Amino acid sequence: MTENTQQTPASNPELPTQYAPAEVEGKLYERWVERGYFEADATSEKPPYTIVIPPPNVTGALHLGHAFQVTLMDALTRRKRMQGFETLWLPGMDHAGIATQNKVEQQLAEEGKSRQDLGREAFTERVWQWKDEYGGRILGQLKRLGAGLDWSRERFTMDEGLSKAVQTIFKKLYDDELIYRAERIINWCPRCLTAISDIEVDYQDDDGELVSLKYGEGDETVVVATTRVETMLGDTAVAVHPDDERYAHLVGKRIKLPLTDRTIPVVADTHVDPEFGTGAVKVTPAHDPNDFAIGQRHDLEFMTIMDERGVITVHGPFQGLDRFEARSAIVAAMREQGRVVAEKRPYVHSVGHCSRCKTTVEPRLSLQWWVKVETLAKAAGDAVRDDRVVLHPKDMEKRYFDWVDNLNDWCISRQLWWGHRIPVWYGPNGEVVCVGPDDEAPTGEGWVQDEDVLDTWFSSGLWPFSTLGWPEETPDLEKFYSTDVLVTGHDIIFFWVVRMMMFGLYAMDGEVPFKTVALTGLVRDEFGKKMSKSNPNAVDPIDWMDAYGSDAVRFTLATGANPGADVPIGEDWVKASRNFANKIWNATRFALMNGATVEGELPPVEQLSATDRWILSRLNKTVAEVDAFYDDFQFAKLSDALYHFAWDEVFDWYVELSKTTFFAGGRPAEVSGRVLGEVLDVMLRLLHPVVPFVTETLWTTLTGKETLVIADWPTDSGFRDDAAEQEIGLVQQVVTEVRRFRSDQGLQPGQKVPAELTLTGTPLAPHEAAIRQLLRLQPAEEGFHATASLPVAGATVALDLSGTIDVEAERKRLTKDLGAAEKEKAQANGKLSNEAFLGKAPDNVVDKIRGRLAKAEADIERITNQLANLPQG
């Protein structure tokens, strides 16, 4: 903007000279909440629109991933609210079983205590105290971000209502024989002392060792390879492929298991790959999921050789050793017996670690509670196949089906004290009773409740309907279920989305929990690397909000939000978004200073200039474009469209082209002031869902109305004026070409140059004053001598550059640049005409040479024109 934008408008003292987010955002948000703008009414006759927030862990703090998804959800709900929907965006938190228990156990450790010292009841009370003191800080941080959540409906996965929902569905699944208790292989954390879900296992490449061991004696010898030597103590078979002739003579026989007094059978199983390694594998059914399946098929013995802490419990010399100590000791013992055939160190392989404490996870045979998922998973798959639920982007469907169509039964029990305790009681004579929320638990001597709690994902799987009051038939449930959109990361599509689908369809009589799943990628740093505290490239979004404002963080995140794709973000990009917010502020102030208004109706078309008709046509096209992008969850594209419309078309072109009209005054200025007010009104409403704070402040100042939060969303009036768009396009072409020429000649942007414009016979004539102002062109007076003439857009712009540049120095510089470009062209042509080079060079190298040739040719044309247009001395 010009220096005029820095003037303080005397008629508008409420709008400071500079935008200061810190002075605006907190007060605005408090006012929005106090006035109840975000509260939904279940009795309303408006059509409902519902989103439930993916519940952040009670232990959590806001990170960029949260900020990213929250920005998108807030944009969706703000727009729907403005479109007249009864909009519910429901907040809440997850109790996060392992994570929260670990936090409190860490506190106790600092006091020299353990949870066992307190006992279950006192420990659980201590966790509730921790939750009250530290939990939920992330929700307060979401307010900083501007999240328009209905705080009157905040829920917690262990509040009374959700606890009732958990008991209800457990009982229903149990009665329908979809929940059972059985021994299976599970992921076990020897540090947290609990089973953990697949999502709580982080896999990384570790340096290990691959050891080949010889089992048996003489002709009855096989060699097996393993990275977990210690598990050999629990081997109960060796398996080979049925068609592998090398081992046909051994199948059905028993061979000696080294270091033990046991013999084990050789079994034939199609699971074995005869091409991998020696074609023979050791089978440890109690400590490996694949071996567990082989053990079931061949009725093998299941030997547990470690306790819950990973300590060896069998075979004298190794008993009492940690699993990793035992690994080294067993290799040494086997080496002494000459049974180590080969050792490979380091052997890099993928190893699972507990996501909470980083301990290496141990596959372990354990008695656990399970959900039988076959029918539930089929229903979840069918709901997507028949388009009752739409995954966006659609290419995520394959990943969804790959998972849901091959889902194994779900281990739902955890050996923790914090969480929903399994509602099953055991009697003194082997009785098993499942208790619903309205049932009386068994009493009397010998009756005890199951010690385990439920997997956190069990309760969060109920989130879309339990938060609305289920199992009660509440007005909220009737009004707001099914929810409309689930916004979540593609990384938890398997673990949370599928569980909500299974439970929602099951509990709600086939009604889907959400109609659309909008899947996002992960937020990464500006170089595409995953953000991590250990890198360290992790960013606290609160720091960026403090420095640049919440709108800047939100706009940066939305601008990177392509469906399903990861989002790179860097501080420079947040600064650029801050600059955009400042541009909106400064340009709106200038507009208000110069008569922009929303008072009265828009003037009739015949009173509008071509510039006015152009911007109104572009405005309506932008409304239609933004609506289409919202409906397709194309946040990056809608943000980009709004950015370029606001900055380029409204501020850099319409405002600048209209300055001569504003300065001249009169009726044309009044008309353009009303048009500019209309454009700002609609533009600010379009921007509001993504950048709510700066737009609220400017819009309420422009219109004098209470709030933008519940203002009407703009609609496309249908007004189009292609002729005006073409006319202003010619103006833009003239200005752009002459600006480029001025820059090529080394002229400063503000440097004034005498010029003669020949615009007669073109649509450009009415715009001469605006063109001259934008290009800093003075009228041609006596003594004018055209030293350069530019034909552009059917017009001619003649410039007198004498006295403005050193012609000879410029000629020398351009001649030197021309020579360099011609040399580059010759070199590129030489390579591209060399058949030997073309035959050997990779395609990308050839393409690069072709690109160099094209650039050199363009440079030659440009520089030649510049030389021709230099003043003749």
Side-chain angles (χ1 to χ4, degrees):
M1 302 301 295
T2 67
E3 60 275 8
N4 288 331
T5 61
Q6 301 304 315
Q7 299 173 3
T8 302
S11 61
N12 190 23
E14 296 180 4
L15 208 56
T17 304
Q18 294 182 334
Y19 178 50
E23 298 176 11
V24 171
E25 294 174 351
K27 295 175 184 176
L28 265 186
Y29 192 85
E30 287 180 10
R31 187 171 74 193
W32 290 336
V33 173
E34 287 172 0
R35 296 185 180 182
Y37 295 145
F38 304 139
E39 293 183 14
D41 181 3
T43 66
S44 167
E45 294 183 0
K46 295 179 182 178
Y49 184 83
T50 315
I51 292 180
V52 291
I53 196 170
N57 287 352
V58 70
T59 61
L62 185 69
H63 58 64
L64 279 172
H66 291 129
F68 171 51
Q69 292 180 358
V70 166
T71 294
L72 306 188
M73 286 182 275
D74 196 36
L76 290 171
T77 50
R78 284 180 182 271
R79 172 175 174 256
K80 285 296 182 180
R81 190 178 292 112
M82 295 172 73
Q83 286 182 315
F85 286 78
E86 193 61 40
T87 303
L88 170 61
W89 185 20
L90 192 147
M93 294 178 296
D94 194 300
H95 65 278
I98 294 178
T100 307
Q101 179 158 318
N102 279 350
K103 287 282 187 183
V104 177
E105 286 194 90
Q106 288 168 11
Q107 276 191 344
L108 289 174
E110 293 172 1
E111 301 170 13
K113 299 177 183 177
S114 69
R115 60 176 163 133
Q116 286 77 16
D117 294 331
L118 270 67
R120 183 168 194 146
E121 185 175 343
F123 176 78
T124 303
E125 184 179 333
R126 177 73 176 257
V127 181
W128 277 106
Q129 292 172 359
W130 184 94
K131 183 262 180 185
D132 293 340
E133 185 174 356
Y134 298 103
R137 55 181 170 158
I138 188 173
L139 297 183
Q141 292 170 332
L142 295 183
K143 297 177 182 179
R144 277 290 313 275
L145 195 63
L149 291 151
D150 185 348
W151 297 106
S152 70
R153 286 178 165 85
E154 182 183 338
R155 303 304 299 268
F156 178 52
T157 51
M158 283 184 62
D159 66 27
E160 184 178 351
L162 270 66
S163 294
K164 182 176 182 179
V166 168
Q167 276 189 276
T168 299
I169 201 161
F170 188 100
K171 172 71 170 171
K172 179 174 171 60
L173 288 163
Y174 184 87
D175 289 346
D176 288 345
E177 298 184 348
L178 293 174
I179 280 183
Y180 64 95
R181 197 181 190 211
E183 280 194 316
R184 297 282 188 277
I185 294 286
I186 46 87
N187 301 307
W188 181 266
C189 176
R191 154 61 182 79
C192 298
L193 300 181
T194 181
I196 57 177
S197 67
D198 291 338
I199 196 173
E200 292 161 329
V201 179
D202 293 335
Y203 287 91
Q204 66 185 46
D205 287 339
D206 286 358
D207 286 344
E209 58 183 350
L210 181 65
V211 184
S212 297
L213 305 173
K214 184 170 63 176
Y215 286 12
E217 303 289 349
D219 293 337
E220 298 180 353
T221 297
V222 293
V223 175
V224 298
T226 180
T227 58
R228 300 167 64 218
V229 175
E230 67 280 6
T231 62
M232 69 155 292
L233 300 176
D235 285 357
T236 56
V238 169
V240 298
H241 194 276
D243 300 330
D244 194 336
E245 294 181 359
R246 293 173 295 175
Y247 302 111
H249 67 290
L250 290 179
V251 174
K253 293 184 178 180
R254 301 184 71 88
I255 61 174
K256 180 79 164 62
L257 180 65
L259 306 183
T260 73
D261 57 2
R262 294 190 292 117
T263 60
I264 57 176
V266 178
V267 299
D269 196 282
T270 54
H271 171 76
V272 179
D273 180 0
E275 302 298 324
F276 183 78
T278 64
V281 297
K282 59 190 287 298
V283 182
T284 319
H287 292 276
D288 183 274
N290 293 321
D291 294 0
F292 177 83
I294 294 175
Q296 285 187 313
R297 286 194 290 271
H298 297 277
D299 196 24
L300 300 177
E301 183 182 359
F302 288 73
M303 285 188 61
T304 299
I305 61 162
M306 297 180 206
D307 67 12
E308 67 275 10
R309 298 183 183 276
V311 175
I312 302 298
T313 58
V314 298
H315 199 69
F318 310 110
Q319 192 168 357
L321 294 181
D322 172 80
R323 53 186 168 153
F324 301 120
E325 295 173 337
R327 180 177 300 175
S328 299
I330 291 172
V331 170
M334 292 286 279
R335 192 182 293 116
E336 284 183 12
Q337 293 188 7
R339 291 186 175 275
V340 175
V341 176
E343 297 179 76
K344 185 176 181 180
R345 294 191 185 90
Y347 179 74
V348 178
H349 62 132
S350 181
V351 178
H353 296 261
C354 175
S355 62
R356 303 299 176 189
C357 68
K358 310 310 176 188
T359 301
T360 299
V361 169
E362 190 66 38
R364 186 168 188 261
L365 184 64
S366 182
L367 182 62
Q368 303 284 347
W369 284 95
W370 304 80
V371 172
K372 190 182 298 182
V373 301
E374 183 178 1
T375 57
L376 302 174
K378 183 180 183 305
D382 290 345
V384 174
R385 286 189 169 91
D386 61 23
D387 291 330
R388 282 177 290 150
V389 176
V390 176
L391 297 191
H392 191 89
K394 191 172 180 62
D395 59 16
M396 287 289 177
E397 283 187 1
K398 183 180 184 303
R399 296 178 63 185
Y400 178 84
F401 292 135
D402 284 347
W403 179 263
V404 79
D405 292 345
N406 298 285
L407 198 60
N408 295 319
D409 285 359
W410 171 20
C411 176
I412 56 171
S413 47
R414 297 291 180 267
Q415 289 64 57
L416 303 171
W417 287 354
W418 172 245
H420 294 282
R421 194 165 175 181
I422 289 176
V424 171
W425 270 255
Y426 304 108
N429 298 311
E431 303 95 332
V432 178
V433 176
C434 181
V435 177
D438 299 321
D439 299 333
E440 290 289 334
T443 58
E445 187 177 350
W447 281 94
V448 293
Q449 185 177 0
D450 195 297
E451 292 289 326
D452 291 350
V453 301
L454 288 163
D455 178 12
T456 294
W457 298 99
F458 190 94
S459 51
S460 60
L462 314 180
W463 191 250
F465 52 95
S466 64
T467 52
L468 297 174
W470 187 90
E472 306 301 327
E473 295 180 1
T474 65
D476 276 2
L477 192 65
E478 182 180 357
K479 176 74 174 179
F480 296 112
Y481 190 88
S482 299
T483 68
D484 287 87
V485 181
L486 173 72
V487 179
T488 191
H490 62 64
D491 55 324
I492 59 172
I493 184 174
F494 317 125
F495 308 109
W496 188 43
V497 176
V498 170
R499 281 152 172 68
M500 286 189 288
M501 289 281 282
M502 292 193 302
F503 279 172
L505 291 162
Y506 174 74
M508 300 300 294
D509 298 322
E511 194 173 357
V512 296
F514 25 72
K515 302 175 185 73
T516 300
V517 182
L519 293 163
T520 69
L522 305 177
V523 178
R524 297 182 178 273
D525 71 12
E526 58 193 302
F527 305 107
K529 294 181 180 178
K530 183 178 179 180
M531 288 194 174
S532 166
K533 292 180 180 179
S534 58
N535 267 355
N537 61 353
V539 173
D540 185 344
I542 298 295
D543 292 340
W544 279 354
M545 284 189 267
D546 288 342
Y548 308 112
S550 297
D551 283 336
V553 174
R554 291 170 61 113
F555 193 75
T556 305
L557 291 165
T559 302
N562 290 299
D566 288 350
V567 183
I569 185 170
E571 188 166 7
D572 285 345
W573 304 343
V574 184
K575 290 179 182 177
S577 296
R578 184 268 316 272
N579 294 343
F580 179 51
N582 288 341
K583 181 80 170 182
I584 298 170
W585 183 272
N586 292 333
T588 303
R589 287 185 66 255
F590 172 80
L592 290 169
M593 285 169 47
N594 288 278
T597 181
V598 295
E599 295 297 325
E601 297 293 325
L602 273 174
V605 174
E606 56 269 19
Q607 293 186 19
L608 302 179
S609 67
T611 307
D612 295 333
R613 298 196 308 276
W614 163 72
I615 196 63
L616 289 174
S617 182
R618 288 297 308 131
L619 177 67
N620 279 285
K621 286 184 178 179
T622 301
V623 171
E625 190 176 31
V626 168
D627 273 334
F629 286 144
Y630 261 116
D631 292 341
D632 198 33
F633 302 97
Q634 297 280 359
F635 295 98
K637 290 182 178 179
L638 73 87
S639 299
D640 187 65
L642 287 170
Y643 176 90
H644 288 293
F645 176 73
W647 194 306
D648 299 343
E649 296 184 300
V650 178
F651 302 146
D652 281 359
W653 284 109
Y654 181 74
V655 170
E656 295 296 331
L657 287 169
S658 301
K659 279 183 178 178
T660 53
T661 303
F662 288 135
F663 295 156
R667 178 58 183 166
E670 292 178 0
V671 170
S672 290
R674 180 63 188 89
V675 170
L676 181 53
E678 181 76 9
V679 171
L680 290 175
D681 173 18
V682 174
M683 183 195 76
L684 291 170
R685 282 186 277 158
L686 288 174
L687 281 164
H688 176 72
V690 181
V691 284
F693 293 109
V694 66
T695 52
E696 169 88 344
T697 306
L698 293 173
W699 188 84
T700 53
T701 302
L702 171 70
T703 64
K705 295 181 179 178
E706 176 185 340
T707 183
L708 185 46
V709 176
I710 53 175
D712 290 338
W713 180 253
T715 56
D716 176 9
S717 71
F719 177 79
R720 302 288 190 274
D721 195 322
D722 294 337
E725 290 196 42
Q726 291 175 2
E727 183 174 327
I728 301 305
L730 294 175
V731 175
Q732 292 172 322
Q733 187 178 344
V734 170
V735 172
T736 300
E737 289 297 321
V738 176
R739 278 177 173 167
R740 183 181 295 119
F741 175 78
R742 285 175 56 107
S743 175
D744 288 342
Q745 302 305 318
L747 296 176
Q748 297 299 314
Q751 190 171 352
K752 295 181 179 179
V753 178
E756 190 174 73
L757 274 60
T758 306
L759 308 176
T760 308
T762 74
L764 296 167
H767 305 285
E768 178 170 354
I771 290 172
R772 284 187 176 277
Q773 178 178 329
L774 288 169
L775 291 172
R776 304 295 187 267
L777 301 180
Q778 295 176 317
E781 298 178 348
E782 186 176 351
F784 174 82
H785 174 62
T787 59
S789 182
L790 302 177
V792 56
T796 303
V797 179
L799 305 171
D800 183 357
L801 301 180
S802 57
T804 61
I805 60 173
D806 185 335
V807 176
E808 286 308 312
E810 188 66 12
R811 195 184 308 280
K812 288 180 180 179
R813 182 184 72 82
L814 290 172
T815 301
K816 181 179 179 182
D817 290 347
L818 181 61
E822 289 173 337
K823 182 178 179 181
E824 176 73 6
K825 177 183 176 181
Q827 290 176 343
N829 268 328
K831 289 185 177 181
L832 293 174
S833 61
N834 185 332
E835 293 297 331
F837 170 78
L838 294 176
K840 295 179 181 179
D843 290 345
N844 64 317
V845 173
V846 175
D847 290 342
K848 187 175 181 180
I849 299 298
R850 289 188 178 126
R852 285 169 52 189
L853 175 62
K855 182 180 184 302
E857 290 175 336
D859 287 344
I860 290 170
E861 181 180 2
R862 174 179 57 81
I863 297 168
T864 301
N865 289 335
Q866 289 177 238
L867 282 166
N869 285 313
L870 280 176
Q872 302 300 314

